[in-house]
Amino acid sequence: MALATAPPTPVKRFSANPFIAFYQSSIGKKIVVALSGLFLIFFIVGHLLGNLEIYLGQDHLNAYANLLQQLGPILWAERIILLLAVVVHIVATIQLAMENRAAKPKKYAKSAHQASTLASRTMIYTGLLVICFVVYHLLQFTLMWTNPEYRNLHDALGRHDVYHMVILGFRQPLIAVFYAAAIFFLATHLSHGFESVTQTLGINNRKIGRFISNGGRWLSWLIFAGYVSIPVTILLGLIK
Ligand code: HEM
């Protein structure tokens, strides 16, 4: 009588190149997701600090935006690195999800799904929503395709009047609400991101892990408060 044997488990082959081998491992990909995410957080915080200059008045915000434009090649280098970080973050996340799915035996698939936290499942959706928001945001304020009239806004010094562009944008309640919702999804994504980094590093039950998780949660909601204050104050007519 022939004995029933389990199908052989595929053996994963790793590259001889240590960098590629690192990326091929699951922990390597998780670290790449975390590091690219950290870089994106630096941009998000920097961008927020720049945008908060709106509270200092038209001259401050326009001078800041003008300075950025003057950076020329440095600005382009930053944009390319930013784009690369976004692509790497997404590609590594997709590959991790595919590997996780392939590693799960079919009969356990349902219970494994139930065991996965709501946070980890919502990460994909909040991430996708943030990407959709950024695409719209670039079309609105950077490329000005949605509102070509913004191109004609100039201040007394002949600089692009970013201050009035932002005010005109957020005076439309629908746009302000859309931004508030997108920033909420961004904060949720960041907050869960910090939590999952501590899990990846296996330090979620240690003091340092709890510090990163709680600190990350605070930072995420501070980011939310800072960004969302702009459409809210404009809509309330506090900035004119
Ligand atoms: C109240 C919220 C926000 C305001 C008022 C705002 C404002 C702006 C403005 C005025 C620009 C164009 C700068 C210029 O070309 O002169 C810009 C660009 C940009 N914003 Fe925002 N932003 C906000 C939220 C966000 C968020 C939440 C993100 C990311 C998740 C983001 C990502 C970007 C990116 C990637 C660019 C392009 C940067 C570049 O061209 O180098 N923004 N933003």
Side-chain angles (χ1 to χ4, degrees), residues 34 36 83 91 107 120 130 133 136 153 162 170 175 206 209 225:
S36 53
L83 187 66
V91 169
K107 64 175 180 169
S120 68
V130 170
F133 157 75
Y136 176 79
L153 295 171
V162 173
F170 294 151
I175 299 291
R206 299 234 302 267

Side-chain angles (χ1 to χ4, degrees), residues 56-147:
L56 301 177
Q58 181 193 28
D59 186 49
H60 272 90
L61 188 66
N62 289 355
Y64 166 73
N66 193 46
L67 183 84
L68 284 185
Q69 294 303 325
Q70 302 294 317
L71 291 177
I74 301 177
L75 178 67
W76 276 104
E78 180 256 358
R79 284 172 171 167
I80 290 167
I81 297 173
L82 200 60
L83 187 66
L84 277 177
V86 172
V87 170
V88 165
H89 196 74
I90 297 171
V91 169
T93 307
I94 294 173
Q95 288 180 336
L96 267 174
M98 282 164 61
E99 279 176 17
N100 283 348
R101 187 166 293 184
K104 265 176 217 153
K106 275 217 165 66
K107 64 175 180 169
Y108 295 133
K110 192 159 180 260
S111 55
H113 175 73
Q114 279 160 352
S116 72
T117 62
L118 176 71
S120 68
R121 274 178 277 138
T122 55
M123 282 299 271
I124 293 176
Y125 300 115
T126 50
L128 284 173
L129 287 167
V130 170
I131 291 170
C132 293
F133 157 75
V134 172
V135 170
Y136 176 79
H137 182 53
L138 294 180
L139 292 177
Q140 186 189 16
F141 284 155
T142 303
L143 299 168
M144 293 172 253
W145 286 1
T146 58
N147 301 73

